[in-house]
Amino acid sequence: MILRILVVAVALAASAGATIRATDALPSESLVVTASSLGQKALNDPAAFDFVEALTTEIGQRLAGTEAHRRAVVWAEARLKAAGLENVHSEPFSFPAWIRGAESADIVGPVPQHLAVTALGGSVATDANGIEAEIALFRTYDDLLAAAPGSLSGKIAVVTQRMVRAQDGSGYGAANPIRRYGPSEAARRGAVAYLLRSLGTDSHRLPHTGALNYQDGAPRIPAAALAIPDAEQLERLAALGPVRIRLLLTPTIQENAPSWNVVGEVKGTERPDEVVLIGGHLDSWDLGTGATDDGAGIAIVFGAARLIAGLPQRPSRTIRVVLFGAEEMNFSGAAYAQAHEGETGKIVVAGEADFGARNVYSVQLPGGAAGSDFGHTLERIIAPLGANVDRRPALGGGDDIRELQKAGVPAVSLRQDGLDYFDTHHTADDTLDKIDPKQLDQAVAVWSAFTYLAAASDVDFRRLAPTAK
Amino acid sequence: MILRILVVAVALAASAGATIRATDALPSESLVVTASSLGQKALNDPAAFDFVEALTTEIGQRLAGTEAHRRAVVWAEARLKAAGLENVHSEPFSFPAWIRGAESADIVGPVPQHLAVTALGGSVATDANGIEAEIALFRTYDDLLAAAPGSLSGKIAVVTQRMVRAQDGSGYGAANPIRRYGPSEAARRGAVAYLLRSLGTDSHRLPHTGALNYQDGAPRIPAAALAIPDAEQLERLAALGPVRIRLLLTPTIQENAPSWNVVGEVKGTERPDEVVLIGGHLDSWDLGTGATDDGAGIAIVFGAARLIAGLPQRPSRTIRVVLFGAEEMNFSGAAYAQAHEGETGKIVVAGEADFGARNVYSVQLPGGAAGSDFGHTLERIIAPLGANVDRRPALGGGDDIRELQKAGVPAVSLRQDGLDYFDTHHTADDTLDKIDPKQLDQAVAVWSAFTYLAAASDVDFRRLAPTAK
Ligand SMILES: [Zn+2]
Ligand SMILES: [Zn+2]
Ligand SMILES: [Zn+2]
Ligand SMILES: [Zn+2]
């Protein structure tokens, strides 16, 4: 079905004499036909799924700063080379690595019960014997923020606000401050530790980790996420009377741990210094095997680059694949932008795949591009794949390209269906079985089409940007 | 909607002059009307959900032999009394209690990876430092059984056969020998430990526990269940080369631990020595809070008995609720049957609710009853509730009434929808959030109708049994 529709669309696009300005070497019809056939090829290409299957099987978890991540870097370099990419190398940087220790929480009163918890990334440790205190439970984050200074003195603050399920992940964005800043907000009010209902949309006893950000001027208190059924259990118990909890967390920090951003390129034939940058992150949390976050994302950009590298006629611009090395810890994007400060003017566009393994349903281009020849041409190519060009521009492209964006690099956002992404996100459940190869392949198809079109045309997103008009 | 349909059904049943032979005190039309209105009342009665909510919140897990189970016994006695049941008491017995210790498994080669496992109930411990060995992986149980004696010498046997999802739980029955007898079968062939893919239908990193049965003449080796994604990970790794695992399990056995079967009755008005026995088990596994297994089951029979106890005119026969005290360990049913050996001839019928929290879709009566006046009358009452009388007779009523059945007690089986029961069965995920109160109430409705009809009529299932004709 998709094939038939595609052929029609390609024919239409070709007969209409697609208005995109193509390079001399590639007339526009040929460019559109190539982008479309790349998409079609991707739908039947096992390479992306093979990539994430091998990564999660042969390496498993790969928390930045661990030996496993180092193994993943070596593994990834070999894969990029085997796929025909050039200039494969890893760019080192150092960062303070956070390593999980023991973690447990138990209700000690009214009656003993075990709670499923996991430390937040960056959390300080409790005493070696744990910390025991009564809880102060808040059903919304605003309730916590409304608590008076000192009112939580000696207590374990617990926030049980629910995260909303949404296809575009907006529920996660809205709830994010609860995890990032809740620990410092609770500490400012006297709390000795902090627990939140996991930022997740499931109802399993597998808590969701993720990084916190301690704020200056607030004591650093231990912080962990409760599995969702456990947060609900605390709500019920707290309604009956005082609840005491013992919390044990023994993470450690390793200063100046090494990491690497792994790079591979499809060198441009005519304008190799102009770069279309596509990436994702190789590091993962340690609880699962990082299949959807972000094994899938790097599999998608790998799959797209590999298909383009295999073309008889490669595009005129360079396609650069970057597998970032400490996204979860918020370090690799800044490290990359800093190392490439002088080059940002040459990066045509940057995109990041870090939203799971499902299909792309819309593409948000840099401002001004949706209504351009480029935007219309892209629409014709990806509509048969089940994706649209969104008329709204990309605001954020992702955590690892944010610094590039700040330096003026146009960003693209290929939006994947995230309705169930936060069921397993940052949990032990982020494993290969959560990936549907068919949907992954669709994402590769849209990424292939976009990436090729951007690299083979002479589109200048900076020129199309509304602010530049 | 249900109400409207019900009223019609009741009217039909009444006008047809329901052919069931009623007691002198209750003419048949009145009996049918009462059974129907009980069902209707159950659909809007929060008592059953309240019961399981309070049990799982205030007590939590209640593994037989633990202090938590003892608390649950006291709690349950108080609840039965408060619901208006009489003769509330607990009947003690003793059994060898199995108490979980530490449990972990890690792949040590080709590269370190953590595995989610849980010890099987009854498993012996490993050495205090764990046991490390290469695995021998079998994709079906028959493959293990086909292995030659001695061929698994020094190995950890792993069976990864999948359990089939089915509404009636038949997949669990078919796979059960893999857990029950696999450890001894592996040991006979030289294995030093045994792992199986959890008997479950989910794909989460929450392994399913459950009891094993060591067989005479085979060495007792430690045995544990792998979470389903972990079993699949081992399949992939084993296909690449040798895999070594370190397994640590430190459970203990407490001989002669005390337990209790908790009993409460609605005393019969005319024939109090004739008993309709309905039950479930109060004990649970220790990983979750035993919400669906079997908090829901005992909530259902509690809810049914409570509604009948509240009738202005109670039935002529006694309804006896039994909350068994060590079902998971396979001891309480035998203890009950032994203690009531002299009474089995007086038990009119026995039924057990131990298949989750969803709706009853069919009732299997003792042989011969489906086509009887009793069966037809029951059908008219429960059809509007969305349940049928199955023409096939009840074969097994459940683990805790099996011994009664062997002693000649007719069994009834109220079959609940179990399509997702084995997603969380025997895991940490068996928590309150998995229960839909509406479906639970429907089960109470069908149980109320059946129980009332059996207790208020003079049906003699032994007389209806095909063998007795
Ligand atoms: Zn990510
Ligand atoms: Zn992440
Ligand atoms: Zn059970
Ligand atoms: Zn069970």
Side-chain angles (χ1 to χ4, degrees):
Chain A
M1 183 58 154
I2 285 175
L3 180 62
R4 287 244 311 270
I5 294 173
L6 186 69
V7 169
V8 173
V10 169
L12 277 173
S15 68
T19 48
I20 191 162
R21 249 189 73 207
T23 63
D24 294 338
L26 285 170
S28 60
E29 299 92 81
S30 145
L31 191 154
V32 170
V33 168
T34 303
S36 295
S37 72
L38 274 171
Q40 195 56 39
K41 212 179 285 175
L43 295 179
N44 297 295
D45 181 8
F49 188 79
D50 283 354
F51 180 98
V52 64
E53 177 175 8
L55 174 63
T56 56
T57 301
E58 296 168 25
I59 309 291
Q61 75 82 21
R62 44 202 182 276
L63 186 69
T66 65
E67 191 55 37
H69 180 252
R70 189 192 297 257
R71 271 194 293 272
V73 167
V74 174
W75 179 95
E77 285 192 358
R79 283 265 160 170
L80 294 184
K81 282 178 192 156
L85 273 63
E86 301 145 288
N87 188 25
V88 174
H89 65 283
S90 294
E91 305 180 358
F93 60 94
S94 68
F95 76 108
W98 179 88
I99 308 293
R100 191 179 306 280
E103 50 190 23
S104 68
D106 292 276
I107 299 169
V108 295
V111 297
Q113 294 190 37
H114 182 64
L115 293 168
V117 296
T118 192
L120 298 187
S123 173
V124 297
T126 60
D127 296 341
N129 293 321
I131 184 170
E132 188 185 312
E134 196 174 301
I135 66 167
L137 187 141
F138 302 93
R139 288 187 175 238
T140 73
Y141 187 50
D142 280 333
D143 290 337
L144 169 71
L145 298 181
S151 64
L152 304 183
S153 185
K155 299 255 175 93
I156 297 176
V158 182
V159 176
T160 60
Q161 184 170 326
R162 278 141 180 74
M163 179 184 143
V164 174
R165 185 186 292 275
Q167 188 184 27
D168 66 356
S170 52
Y172 185 65
N176 216 257
I178 309 173
R179 190 188 77 212
R180 297 247 172 223
Y181 309 120
S184 290
E185 295 293 355
R188 279 204 191 93
R189 290 159 177 83
V192 294
Y194 180 76
L195 296 172
L196 78 156
R197 176 179 161 123
S198 283
L199 301 189
T201 48
D202 61 298
S203 196
H204 297 299
R205 302 225 30 226
L206 295 167
H208 299 238
T209 190
L212 58 72
N213 298 95
Y214 287 128
Q215 295 175 329
D216 291 340
R220 297 184 165 212
I221 60 173
L226 291 153
I228 284 152
D230 299 73
E232 294 178 354
Q233 181 80 329
L234 282 185
E235 286 180 343
R236 285 187 294 267
L237 280 167
L240 300 176
V243 178
R244 287 184 73 79
I245 284 181
R246 173 172 290 278
L247 176 69
L248 174 75
L249 305 174
T250 64
T252 52
I253 297 274
Q254 188 198 337
E255 298 292 345
N256 295 309
S259 191
W260 300 266
N261 291 325
V262 181
V263 178
E265 296 182 331
V266 182
K267 270 286 171 214
T269 50
E270 318 236 328
R271 288 173 288 175
D273 58 328
E274 294 183 19
V275 173
V276 174
L277 189 154
I278 60 176
H281 62 90
L282 180 58
D283 69 299
S284 76
W285 283 107
D286 51 341
L287 300 173
T289 61
T292 70
D293 184 16
D294 185 29
I298 57 176
I300 290 166
V301 296
F302 166 86
R306 181 183 157 279
L307 282 176
I308 297 170
L311 288 172
Q313 172 75 5
R314 289 179 170 193
S316 60
R317 288 164 164 167
T318 291
I319 293 165
R320 182 181 299 166
V321 174
V322 184
L323 311 183
F324 293 96
E327 192 274 345
E328 298 296 6
M329 300 303 180
N330 310 309
F331 282 96
S332 42
Y336 188 85
Q338 202 182 336
H340 294 263
E341 217 170 355
E343 196 198 15
T344 48
K346 287 298 198 179
I347 303 178
V348 174
V349 67
E352 185 175 348
D354 186 17
F355 203 63
R358 296 214 179 273
N359 58 298
V360 174
Y361 64 92
S362 96
V363 177
Q364 292 183 336
L365 294 170
S372 72
D373 289 349
F374 182 90
H376 290 300
T377 305
L378 181 64
E379 175 85 27
R380 284 190 215 107
I381 298 169
I382 66 174
L385 298 168
N388 287 121
V389 173
D390 193 330
R391 277 170 299 179
R392 295 165 300 178
L395 293 178
D399 284 352
D400 269 322
I401 61 172
R402 184 168 299 127
E403 295 300 316
L404 291 175
Q405 244 185 300
K406 283 187 193 164
V409 174
V412 65
S413 177
L414 281 71
R415 299 165 79 82
Q416 293 174 258
D417 185 340
L419 210 56
D420 67 359
Y421 181 53
F422 293 99
D423 286 354
T424 58
H425 179 253
H426 291 189
T427 72
D429 233 359
D430 184 4
T431 46
L432 184 67
D433 49 295
K434 309 307 182 301
I435 299 181
D436 174 349
K438 285 262 165 249
Q439 296 207 15
L440 187 77
D441 290 349
Q442 189 271 6
V444 178
V446 180
W447 272 92
S448 299
F450 167 78
T451 304
Y452 177 78
L453 213 58
S457 72
D458 59 359
V459 62
D460 179 353
F461 291 113
R462 284 176 172 87
R463 196 172 48 79
L464 297 174
T467 50
K469 270 181 182 165
Chain B
M1 183 57 157
I2 285 173
L3 180 62
R4 287 246 309 271
I5 294 171
L6 184 69
V7 168
V8 173
V10 169
L12 278 173
S15 68
T19 48
I20 191 162
R21 249 186 75 208
T23 64
D24 294 340
L26 286 169
S28 59
E29 298 92 80
S30 144
L31 190 154
V32 170
V33 168
T34 303
S36 295
S37 71
L38 274 171
Q40 195 56 38
K41 214 179 286 176
L43 295 179
N44 296 294
D45 181 8
F49 188 79
D50 283 355
F51 180 99
V52 64
E53 177 175 7
L55 174 64
T56 56
T57 301
E58 297 168 24
I59 309 290
Q61 74 83 19
R62 47 201 180 276
L63 186 69
T66 65
E67 191 54 37
H69 181 251
R70 189 192 297 256
R71 272 193 294 273
V73 167
V74 174
W75 179 95
E77 284 193 359
R79 283 266 160 169
L80 294 185
K81 281 178 193 157
L85 272 64
E86 300 145 289
N87 189 25
V88 173
H89 65 281
S90 294
E91 304 180 358
F93 60 92
S94 68
F95 76 108
W98 179 88
I99 309 293
R100 191 179 306 281
E103 48 190 24
S104 68
D106 292 275
I107 299 169
V108 294
V111 296
Q113 293 191 38
H114 182 66
L115 293 169
V117 295
T118 193
L120 297 188
S123 173
V124 297
T126 61
D127 295 342
N129 293 322
I131 185 170
E132 189 185 312
E134 196 174 303
I135 66 168
L137 188 141
F138 301 93
R139 289 184 174 240
T140 72
Y141 188 50
D142 280 334
D143 288 339
L144 170 71
L145 298 181
S151 65
L152 304 183
S153 187
K155 299 256 175 93
I156 296 175
V158 182
V159 176
T160 60
Q161 183 170 326
R162 278 139 179 77
M163 178 183 143
V164 174
R165 185 186 292 275
Q167 189 184 25
D168 66 356
S170 53
Y172 185 65
N176 216 256
I178 308 173
R179 191 188 77 213
R180 297 248 172 223
Y181 309 119
S184 289
E185 296 293 352
R188 278 204 190 93
R189 290 159 177 83
V192 294
Y194 180 77
L195 296 172
L196 78 157
R197 175 179 162 123
S198 283
L199 302 191
T201 48
D202 61 299
S203 196
H204 298 298
R205 308 255 340 255
L206 294 167
H208 299 237
T209 189
L212 58 72
N213 297 93
Y214 287 128
Q215 296 175 328
D216 292 339
R220 297 183 165 213
I221 61 173
L226 292 154
I228 285 151
D230 300 73
E232 294 178 354
Q233 181 80 328
L234 282 186
E235 287 180 342
R236 287 187 293 268
L237 280 167
L240 299 176
V243 178
R244 286 184 74 78
I245 284 181
R246 173 172 290 279
L247 175 70
L248 174 75
L249 305 175
T250 65
T252 51
I253 297 272
Q254 189 199 335
E255 297 292 346
N256 294 309
S259 192
W260 299 266
N261 291 326
V262 181
V263 178
E265 295 182 332
V266 181
K267 269 285 169 214
T269 49
E270 319 234 329
R271 286 172 290 173
D273 59 325
E274 294 184 9
V275 174
V276 173
L277 189 154
I278 59 177
H281 62 89
L282 180 58
D283 68 301
S284 77
W285 282 106
D286 52 341
L287 300 174
T289 62
T292 69
D293 185 15
D294 184 29
I298 58 176
I300 291 166
V301 295
F302 166 84
R306 182 183 156 280
L307 282 176
I308 297 170
L311 288 174
Q313 172 75 2
R314 291 180 169 189
S316 60
R317 287 165 165 166
T318 291
I319 294 165
R320 182 181 297 166
V321 174
V322 184
L323 311 184
F324 293 96
E327 192 275 345
E328 298 296 6
M329 300 303 179
N330 310 311
F331 283 96
S332 41
Y336 188 85
Q338 202 182 336
H340 293 264
E341 217 170 353
E343 197 197 17
T344 48
K346 287 298 199 178
I347 303 179
V348 176
V349 67
E352 184 176 349
D354 186 17
F355 202 65
R358 296 215 180 273
N359 59 296
V360 173
Y361 64 92
S362 95
V363 177
Q364 292 183 335
L365 295 169
S372 73
D373 289 349
F374 181 90
H376 290 301
T377 304
L378 181 65
E379 174 85 27
R380 284 189 213 109
I381 298 170
I382 66 175
L385 298 169
N388 287 121
V389 172
D390 194 328
R391 276 171 300 180
R392 296 166 299 180
L395 293 178
D399 283 352
D400 269 322
I401 60 171
R402 183 167 301 126
E403 293 301 316
L404 291 176
Q405 244 185 302
K406 283 188 194 162
V409 174
V412 65
S413 177
L414 280 74
R415 299 165 79 82
Q416 293 174 257
D417 185 339
L419 210 56
D420 67 359
Y421 181 53
F422 294 99
D423 286 355
T424 58
H425 180 251
H426 292 188
T427 73
D429 234 359
D430 184 4
T431 47
L432 185 66
D433 49 295
K434 309 307 182 299
I435 298 182
D436 175 349
K438 284 264 166 248
Q439 295 206 14
L440 186 76
D441 290 348
Q442 189 271 5
V444 178
V446 180
W447 271 92
S448 300
F450 167 77
T451 304
Y452 177 78
L453 213 58
S457 72
D458 59 359
V459 61
D460 178 353
F461 291 113
R462 285 176 172 89
R463 195 172 47 79
L464 297 174
T467 49
K469 268 180 181 164

